[in-house]
Amino acid sequence: MACVELRNVWKVFGETVAVRDFNLRIDEGELMVVVGPSGCGKTTILRMVAGLEDVSRGGIYIGGRQVNDVLARDRNIAMVFQNYALYPHMNVFDNMAFGLKNRKVPREETRRRVGEAARVLGIDHLLGRKPKALSGGQRQRVALGRAMVREPQVFLMDEPLSNLDARLRVQMRVELARLQRRLGVTTIYVTHDQVEAMTMGHRIVIMNGGIVQQIDTPMRLYERPANLFVAGFIGSTPMNFIPVTLERHDEPALRGEGLYFPIPPELVESGLKTGKERLVLGVRPEDIGLDPELARQHPEWICRVGAEVVESLGAESLVYFTIGRTAVTARLAGVNIPRPGETVPLVFNLNRAHLFARE
Ligand SMILES: Nc1ncnc2c1ncn2[C@@H]1O[C@H](COP(=O)(O)OP(=O)(O)O)[C@@H](O)[C@H]1O
Ligand SMILES: [Mg+2]
């Protein structure tokens, strides 16, 4: 086990700055998720830590030692890719043992490690099979096993679940998180899927265009997004963004097309902190609803809206409507759901809302 640190790391490909001044410290045994849209530099970061790509500037440290000039094979790191590339002519045992054979690990030791990894992954009954006789999930486990038997200091995983179907992906992400906890190996896990990031990461790095947006625990990213990008990226139904201006008469309030909300002091504070007048009110769909208690306490936060589309998901429903010209979604729990065309008084929980500068 080792901590991993990247200090002021840059990666430039010709004209493209793939990674810009990246700083991150991953603690021993931590599962750090790097998440962001395609092309934001995630794979490049992993490849630099693995030693498959030089850094343009900055330093990479593993266990406190600078490894910029250490060859990939001497970094004691194992990488798992989206495309798990098993050797089709070898059975599961030989696929898992392949890296050890190259390292001249004795046969007994190889057998012990493969056996143990297979048992942990629940594939010990498949050791004699060829990859083509395995399901997608089983193949992914073999790829993981191949990384585990190396007993590395660090795991690097690049979208390892994205080739699996949705149901299997959910199952495997739980298994992976459990396995990582059990093995306690420092792990950097890359994904473009914010749900995967939120459910698996001890901490998460959110990237956009080669630049770190925020590094935090899942809960803090959700509760305190540092900017509009993070706010819109985290949350399985995205946060609503409504253009408003801050008015500071006797009672501070937000005014927008079709809405006027007096607001609590903390929200005024965060609006003033942007230093801008044209703001965006960020409210999560789960913070708009029919809560009678909140409606009684804050009748000024009620907005009568016309439900346009209603999607019932069972335990909850999504209600789509428009305020001014802005499309807004509310997520209502329970079964007492408005019908399309109905006008409903929805209450916005502005105690949980955010204000951002518009640009
Ligand atoms: N070998 C390369 N040569 C030139 N450009 C590259 C190379 N690898 C990556 N890039 C560019 O760097 C940026 C980041 O790529 P990548 O790290 O693969 O993103 P992600 O994994 O987040 O999708 C992209 O703009 C990509 O086109
Ligand atoms: Mg990638």
Side-chain angles (χ1 to χ4, degrees):
M1 303 329 100
C3 61
V4 176
E5 198 171 351
L6 293 94
R7 289 193 204 145
N8 306 108
V9 169
W10 291 67
K11 181 67 190 184
V12 183
F13 295 107
E15 301 281 280
T16 310
V17 181
V19 175
R20 184 182 296 266
D21 199 17
F22 187 88
N23 287 283
L24 178 66
R25 192 196 138 89
I26 301 137
D27 293 330
E28 247 172 74
E30 189 172 25
L31 199 177
M32 178 69 76
V33 174
V34 180
V35 69
S38 176
C40 72
K42 306 180 295 293
T43 295
T44 303
I45 288 167
L46 278 199
R47 289 176 56 82
M48 289 190 291
V49 174
L52 301 172
E53 199 79 72
D54 288 332
V55 307
S56 304
R57 220 189 293 165
I60 294 183
Y61 301 78
I62 299 176
R65 181 169 76 117
Q66 219 221 44
V67 296
N68 288 29
D69 297 322
V70 176
L71 292 176
R73 62 179 158 80
D74 298 327
R75 290 193 189 186
N76 196 13
I77 277 176
M79 200 153 165
V80 182
F81 301 93
Q82 168 181 353
N83 170 0
Y84 20 86
L86 303 177
Y87 297 106
H89 58 287
M90 291 184 193
N91 66 21
V92 168
F93 182 96
D94 290 333
N95 264 290
M96 285 173 68
F98 188 75
L100 301 184
K101 201 177 262 176
N102 283 349
R103 269 152 224 266
K104 312 244 180 307
V105 175
R107 276 173 66 121
E108 262 320 296
E109 174 68 7
T110 298
R111 213 169 289 150
R112 183 191 69 76
R113 289 199 204 172
V114 171
E116 197 176 303
R119 206 161 42 250
V120 168
L121 292 163
I123 52 173
D124 37 353
H125 60 297
L126 303 173
L127 288 173
R129 285 208 200 157
K130 298 275 173 63
K132 70 170 185 303
L134 302 176
S135 70
Q138 290 167 337
R139 283 182 210 165
Q140 188 51 272
R141 287 192 188 92
V142 177
L144 276 172
R146 187 171 52 183
M148 278 168 64
V149 297
R150 301 251 317 268
E151 299 184 348
Q153 295 194 81
V154 180
F155 277 131
L156 303 178
M157 303 195 184
D158 194 355
E159 316 222 11
L161 305 185
S162 51
N163 279 350
L164 306 178
D165 66 50
R167 185 179 288 265
L168 193 53
R169 208 154 57 220
V170 171
Q171 184 194 334
M172 283 297 289
R173 89 176 177 229
V174 176
E175 279 185 29
L176 252 181
R178 190 180 291 142
L179 186 66
Q180 194 276 341
R181 217 170 260 280
R182 172 160 169 197
L183 301 174
V185 179
T186 312
T187 302
I188 310 180
Y189 185 100
V190 158
T191 177
H192 63 273
D193 179 350
Q194 66 88 21
V195 176
E196 226 168 86
M198 290 293 279
T199 52
M200 294 183 71
H202 301 165
R203 283 189 300 153
I204 300 174
V205 187
I206 301 194
M207 307 267 306
N208 189 29
I211 301 172
V212 171
Q213 305 294 307
Q214 190 169 355
I215 304 174
D216 236 318
T217 60
M219 231 32 214
R220 283 192 57 90
L221 289 172
Y222 177 84
E223 297 281 346
R224 306 212 157 274
N227 57 36
L228 263 178
F229 181 83
V230 175
F233 195 79
I234 294 296
S236 53
T237 313
M239 186 185 280
N240 297 294
F241 294 130
I242 307 170
V244 292
T245 50
L246 180 58
E247 297 192 348
R248 301 173 62 204
H249 311 300
D250 315 340
E251 59 167 17
L254 298 175
R255 186 183 293 281
E257 214 184 319
L259 71 82
Y260 180 85
F261 289 142
I263 53 171
E266 305 83 67
L267 201 54
V268 178
E269 195 87 352
S270 82
L272 290 177
K273 227 173 359 190
T274 66
K276 297 276 178 1
E277 272 176 24
R278 290 150 52 81
L279 300 174
V280 174
L281 170 65
V283 192
R284 295 199 184 276
E286 48 273 41
D287 294 324
I288 306 174
L290 294 162
D291 180 1
E293 187 55 37
L294 186 67
R296 191 160 49 241
Q297 280 173 13
H298 292 285
E300 73 279 16
W301 293 349
I302 295 173
C303 198
R304 296 184 65 79
V305 307
E308 289 157 11
V309 177
V310 178
E311 289 176 354
S312 291
L313 307 170
E316 56 183 25
S317 300
L318 299 176
V319 178
Y320 297 86
F321 53 94
T322 309
I323 297 182
R325 274 168 295 175
T326 307
V328 181
T329 310
R331 194 163 174 170
L332 309 189
V335 290
N336 209 354
I337 301 303
R339 278 183 297 277
E342 203 175 323
T343 299
V344 276
L346 294 183
V347 56
F348 285 58
N349 189 350
L350 296 181
N351 288 326
R352 299 184 48 81
H354 307 266
L355 281 174
F356 304 99
R358 212 172 291 184
E359 269 80 47

